Amino acid sequence: MKKITLLIILLWLPSVWLTWQPDANYFFWRHQLTMLTGALGFAYMAVAMLLAMRIPRVEEYVNGLDKGYAIHKQMGIGALVTMVMHWVLIESPKCLVSLGLIEGQQKRQRLGQLVEGINWTHWAKVVGEYTFYVFLAFVAISLIQAISYRKFRFTHKLGGAIFLAGSFHSVFLLDYQWSSAGLNSVIWLAAIAGSICAFISLTGSIGRARIVNGQVTAIQRIHDQASQSQVLHVKIKLNEAMKYRAGQFAYLNFNDGEAPHPFSVLNYDSHNQEIEFAIKDLGDYTHALYDSLSVGRAVAVEGGYGRFQIPKSSNQVWIGAGIGIVPFIAWLHYLTHLPHSTSRHIDLFYCRDNDDQTYFVKLLEKLVSKLPYVKLHIYTASHNEFLCADRVAQHIDLSQASVSFCGPISFGNALKNRLLGLGLSKQNFHSERFVMR
């Protein structure tokens, strides 16, 4: 985000330097800042549109789709802030003139006013104003966690239409003079690229090339009486092979009227084209799925996504908290198909709530028994066993190790900060931000 902001500011500065006069008044600076805030907001929206496409090369550049969604969210917030500033600048003369603080000024002529027959500038302003109000509601729905994922996904499709309206507003209200040529060129490129992404989104084509159809072949329902938590173990037979690497996640569409939801892959058998998921009951949708899913249900699997891969270092620490243990189980499945390593040592920590949560423990023990270089550590909260960075450091030399974490974000951040203080290199802490909104 800093790079985009710096680029836009650098391209904006020539217009200020080359058009500034010693007698420059409020309207000069209002015009220049309006151009800057509008360009920043539009650029943020264009990048957000690109990140939403789930393009493999873009995912690789941002180091995983989960990181891409985090940046996508930052871009949305950045666009909101700059668009509010943009709107305030546009509306400010009305208030200042009414208070007698400044005098009104004749309106500037723009490219749209030169087109005979239709006042495109007027319509660009009207579209921009109403698009801004829709955008405010759009961002609010996206950020308010209390709003269901279903409504969030439905309204998020408006993003494409909002961007197209924003493109219309922007290209007709650009400052078309030679001092703004650099900035105008970037805005036009952003408008073209973002509009292509918008059409892809509006036609429902995002991720279509990575969808593999299948059928549910087995279901196991795991219920923990102590914590009342529920996990649904689902096995799916795919019609064809899918591109997947251990540790990735996929979107599942059970054709039940809901938008596809992302879940970490528990295991993928490429030989038999079978894929497994462990889905925890965490919300309305997963709760309904736990009760209603049945064998034989058709399902579309889109993926795999993410770059949460097994590190290459010899000494590794894996930490899975709660349902965050799933990608590590996928890693273990993958390692069981490789020759035993003589140089690799792995300490795997699984943090759970109570002794009744034995489902993942049994899976872990079965897999670890086949991997002599993996040592399993179970931490149970009901026994007052809480994992911390100092306990991790007791098992391994942090200066020579890598740490991989998947679980609650606050827990991961606390571990990371303390581990870095104990000698872990920043680039050797790997985590997955499995937050899609």
Side-chain angles (χ1 to χ4, degrees), residues 19-87:
T19 61
W20 181 81
Q21 299 291 334
D23 60 346
N25 59 14
Y26 165 80
F27 284 97
F28 170 83
W29 288 109
R30 179 243 187 186
H31 168 70
Q32 294 296 342
L33 292 174
T34 298
M35 291 295 104
L36 174 61
T37 54
L40 284 170
F42 189 69
Y44 295 153
M45 289 175 66
V47 174
M49 289 298 302
L50 180 64
L51 290 168
M53 293 298 103
R54 305 203 279 264
I55 300 172
R57 288 193 177 182
V58 175
E59 181 186 359
E60 183 177 354
Y61 179 78
V62 299
N63 197 30
L65 189 64
D66 59 311
K67 310 296 189 303
Y69 273 121
I71 300 173
H72 174 89
K73 184 175 180 178
Q74 291 175 3
M75 292 296 167
I77 295 173
L80 173 65
V81 172
T82 51
M83 287 305 179
V84 169
M85 296 169 61
H86 185 72
W87 179 83

Side-chain angles (χ1 to χ4, degrees), residues 163-182:
F163 185 86
L164 291 175
S167 297
F168 174 73
H169 171 81
S170 298
V171 298
F172 277 103
L173 293 178
L174 284 174
D175 196 354
Y176 285 101
Q177 51 184 337
W178 68 271
S179 60
S180 301

Side-chain angles (χ1 to χ4, degrees), residues 185-244:
S185 298
V186 169
I187 296 302
W188 268 97
L189 288 173
I192 293 171
S195 295
I196 293 173
C197 294
F199 280 114
I200 293 174
S201 175
L202 290 170
T203 56
S205 301
I206 297 177
R208 184 175 294 175
R210 303 178 77 170
I211 293 177
V212 178
N213 292 315
Q215 188 178 57
V216 176
T217 57
I219 295 174
Q220 182 181 0
R221 291 178 170 84
I222 301 96
H223 180 77
D224 173 25
Q225 293 289 346
S227 64
Q228 293 300 308
S229 65
Q230 300 179 138
V231 175
L232 188 67
H233 185 167
V234 182
K235 182 178 290 187
I236 299 168
K237 174 69 175 179
L238 300 176
N239 297 340
E240 57 185 293
M242 66 176 286
K243 293 182 179 180
Y244 166 79

